[in-house]
Amino acid sequence: MAIGSGLGAQLGISAEVSYGTYVAPTKFIEFTKEGLALKKTTAQSAGIAAGRLLPLSSRRVVTQREASGSIDLEVTNKAMGLLLQALMGTTVTPVQQGASAAYLQTHTLADTAGKSLTIQKGVPLTTGTVTDKTFVGCKVTSAEFSCETGGMLMATYEFDGKDCDETQTLAAASYPSMSPFHFGQMAVKTGTYSSETARDGVRKMSVKIERPLAVDRFYAGQAGLKKEPISNDQVKISGSFEVDYVDTGLDDLHTSDAGTSLVWEFIGPTIALTHDETFRITLPSIKIDEGPPTVDGFGVVRPSFNFTGLYDGTNQPKIEYMSADTTL
């Protein structure tokens, strides 16, 4: 029996072969909070019948079912591949680095058609019995990564799902030995693409990637369930720096509206040879939208610069992930 509280909860994920078709979880992720839930649309018959003061319960029907919600988690040195693939869209196979135990995943921005997940969560009753709620057809609609002084690299994923299935067998969770990426491993670089240089003074950083989808594809003949959502707008990338005003680099970019390449990376311990645990977001072109410095007291001037990620005409945004995972 599990502990009858959130201490006994679990989340397992797997890549689906076809949208909305259950695949038993293959990875179990450690999370800090989740909000995945079934959403149903109901209709109530309201026919007039002499003397009837309330609608009949037998004539309420469920016309549509879907799911949505979010997962908050620390970004760790293992087990992140499936989530990154569902966000970025490229089909990725980890590439072994030389003959070492290090494997590089390069998640380049692409359409997410065909990239859906089964997410199974175990929710404990107070008795210690863990109930199953399995969400199928889960598509990532956005993900935000953030890290601040003294903190962990955190991620929040938002999902749209096809349905919630409570008839599956709850998988037995198992977790590899893993550790989180954190502020002590963080570097921020800007400049010419592939030749970026480190910026000083960055205290806090965030990047959000949004994948707009048509999530309302409910058609006749689908038993009230949606067909796979498809992209219906351009990808939106945004973020922010909180910095001490140590130089005018970002301020100058705001004034001129010039573009710069951004690399935000976390380099952890060595896996093997010269290959280190790595989480790296590369945005080939960003432009600063707002955030010129202002003085609001005696303290260090500390502006926050907001930016938008754009296409430089050649290079796509990407997330690189170096770990010991041989598969996603």
Side-chain angles (χ1 to χ4, degrees):
M1 299 291 284
I3 299 173
S5 67
L7 291 170
Q10 66 180 64
L11 271 180
I13 63 175
S14 57
E16 294 178 344
V17 177
S18 60
Y19 174 72
T21 301
Y22 170 78
V23 176
T26 55
K27 294 279 185 179
F28 295 88
I29 56 175
E30 299 180 14
F31 66 102
T32 57
K33 184 172 67 173
E34 63 83 21
L36 296 169
L38 171 68
K39 294 171 61 179
K40 62 184 181 181
T41 300
T42 62
Q44 176 67 58
S45 174
I48 296 172
R52 185 181 298 156
L53 300 180
L54 285 172
L56 286 171
S57 63
S58 61
R59 290 174 62 177
R60 172 168 146 156
V61 293
V62 176
T63 58
Q64 293 177 180
R65 290 168 59 95
E66 58 185 318
S68 64
S70 62
I71 297 174
D72 294 0
L73 70 160
E74 298 169 356
V75 178
T76 58
N77 63 346
K78 291 181 182 176
M80 295 289 103
L82 287 177
L83 290 173
L84 294 174
Q85 178 174 263
L87 167 66
M88 298 299 285
T90 298
T91 300
V92 172
T93 300
V95 177
Q96 186 177 17
Q97 304 299 288
S100 74
Y103 288 78
L104 175 63
Q105 302 174 25
T106 302
H107 297 269
T108 305
L109 188 68
D111 188 30
T112 59
K115 298 297 186 297
S116 62
L117 301 172
T118 293
I119 304 178
Q120 184 184 67
K121 71 175 182 178
V123 183
L125 299 171
T126 56
T127 59
T129 299
V130 182
T131 63
D132 158 62
K133 293 186 181 295
T134 298
F135 298 87
V136 294
C138 294
K139 302 275 292 186
V140 175
T141 56
S142 74
E144 182 169 15
F145 302 92
S146 62
C147 187
E148 61 183 38
T149 304
M152 304 291 192
L153 172 59
M154 303 298 297
T156 297
Y157 280 82
E158 297 281 348
F159 296 92
D160 176 82
K162 181 177 182 178
D163 198 12
C164 178
D165 180 358
E166 298 184 7
T167 66
Q168 301 297 334
T169 300
L170 188 68
S174 62
Y175 303 92
S177 175
M178 52 189 174
S179 58
F181 291 102
H182 59 83
F183 183 79
Q185 303 167 331
M186 183 174 111
V188 178
K189 302 177 183 179
T190 58
T192 303
Y193 180 76
S194 78
S195 300
E196 300 89 353
T197 57
R199 295 217 62 84
D200 191 14
V202 179
R203 298 176 53 83
K204 184 178 180 179
M205 183 83 193
S206 70
V207 171
K208 185 174 186 179
I209 301 172
E210 299 176 73
R211 306 303 307 248
L213 298 171
V215 298
D216 58 350
R217 298 186 66 210
F218 292 96
Y219 305 145
Q222 300 297 315
L225 302 176
K226 70 177 68 176
K227 301 202 76 171
E228 181 178 2
I230 55 178
S231 297
N232 64 349
D233 200 351
Q234 292 179 314
V235 175
K236 296 174 174 61
I237 300 177
S238 60
S240 66
F241 313 87
E242 182 185 289
V243 302
D244 281 359
Y245 197 48
V246 299
D247 60 48
T248 64
L250 295 175
D251 191 17
D252 292 342
L253 289 170
H254 172 258
T255 301
S256 67
D257 203 42
T260 185
S261 177
L262 169 67
V263 173
W264 182 28
E265 67 182 10
F266 295 78
I267 306 298
T270 299
I271 300 171
L273 303 175
T274 60
H275 307 297
D276 303 326
E277 297 171 355
T278 302
F279 181 89
R280 179 185 296 117
I281 297 177
T282 300
L283 304 179
S285 181
I286 66 166
K287 294 207 173 187
I288 307 295
D289 296 317
E290 57 182 335
T294 57
V295 179
D296 60 0
F298 296 111
V300 173
V301 176
R302 188 165 288 167
S304 292
F305 294 93
N306 299 323
F307 64 83
T308 298
L310 301 166
Y311 180 42
D312 70 352
T314 303
N315 305 289
Q316 293 286 1
K318 62 182 177 181
I319 299 177
E320 294 168 288
Y321 182 60
M322 183 90 76
S323 76
D325 288 340
T326 59
T327 64
L328 296 194

